Amino acid sequence: MKHLSILVPDEQTNMSTIACIVGAFQIFSEANNYLARKNEKAIFKIELVGATKNDFLNNNFLSIKHQVTISEIDKTNLIIIPASLIRSYETSSKNNRLLINWVTKQYKHGAEIASMCAGSFMLASTGILSGKTCSTHWALSENFRELFPDVNLQTDQLITDENGIYTN
């Protein structure tokens, strides 16, 4: 069974963050439901992952609580980074820096990573995009290029795939 970790940042978020988290969870859950209807085993264990026990995503309209913390996951197969307002490691919150460091560690141990829209900023903050190609929302391209000049940003590509790193 493949383990999927959908990150739940504790702040620096907007409605796009919530939409990405819920959307990713629903898509992979539906894949498991499809298999169940065919009397087959689920292929994904999907978990919403936060930095610490007490953090949760709250934008004053909707709240999302994670299911597990990064300290409870030794190995994951795929990390999904939702869109967020995190623009760099230096400006991210303490808990989001913990998430960034955890993503780096998991990638070094074989996890694949997918970022959604502005989640590419958090992904680039790990350093693992250095020298690689990625995409992000076109309206954020100037800011992205300023912060991460060593990343080959392709705003004209909807999706990029490079060595187990997927961006859109």
Side-chain angles (χ1 to χ4, degrees):
M1 182 175 290
K2 298 276 185 186
H3 185 270
L4 275 61
S5 297
I6 302 173
L7 296 189
V8 180
D10 65 331
E11 52 188 62
Q12 296 171 287
T13 61
N14 56 27
M15 286 301 288
S16 293
T17 308
I18 292 172
C20 288
I21 292 169
V22 172
F25 191 87
Q26 286 180 323
I27 288 168
F28 287 104
S29 293
E30 187 52 39
N32 282 342
N33 293 337
Y34 171 77
L35 292 171
R37 289 190 299 271
K38 293 175 54 177
N39 294 318
E40 296 180 26
K41 291 182 182 179
I43 57 173
F44 301 114
K45 178 179 181 181
I46 310 155
E47 293 186 307
L48 302 179
V49 180
T52 64
K53 288 190 183 289
N54 297 323
D55 67 325
F56 66 96
L57 175 59
N58 182 4
N59 80 341
N60 296 322
F61 179 66
L62 293 173
S63 297
I64 296 180
K65 180 149 179 44
H66 60 273
Q67 298 164 302
V68 296
T69 65
I70 54 177
S71 64
E72 297 173 86
I73 300 175
D74 293 324
K75 179 163 178 41
T76 190
N77 299 103
L78 175 64
I79 299 168
I80 298 176
I81 303 172
S84 71
L85 300 177
I86 299 165
R87 294 298 180 253
S88 72
Y89 187 88
E90 292 76 24
T91 61
S92 64
S93 69
K94 177 185 172 191
N95 283 345
N96 289 334
R97 284 193 298 275
L98 292 172
L99 290 175
I100 290 167
N101 294 339
W102 182 79
V103 167
T104 304
K105 177 183 168 190
Q106 289 296 320
Y107 182 71
K108 288 179 180 175
H109 288 95
E112 295 182 305
I113 304 171
S115 70
M116 302 171 82
C117 196
S120 60
F121 283 80
M122 185 179 205
L123 177 56
S125 290
T126 67
I128 62 177
L129 277 180
S130 182
K132 293 183 174 69
T133 299
C134 85
S135 61
T136 194
H137 192 284
W138 63 268
L140 304 172
S141 62
E142 284 185 38
N143 185 229
F144 188 94
R145 284 187 174 106
E146 287 173 14
L147 290 170
F148 308 105
D150 57 339
V151 178
N152 182 16
L153 182 63
Q154 299 294 310
T155 56
D156 60 336
Q157 287 187 275
L158 185 58
I159 298 172
T160 64
D161 170 1
E162 187 164 336
N163 301 321
I165 302 171
Y166 314 98
T167 62
N168 78 325

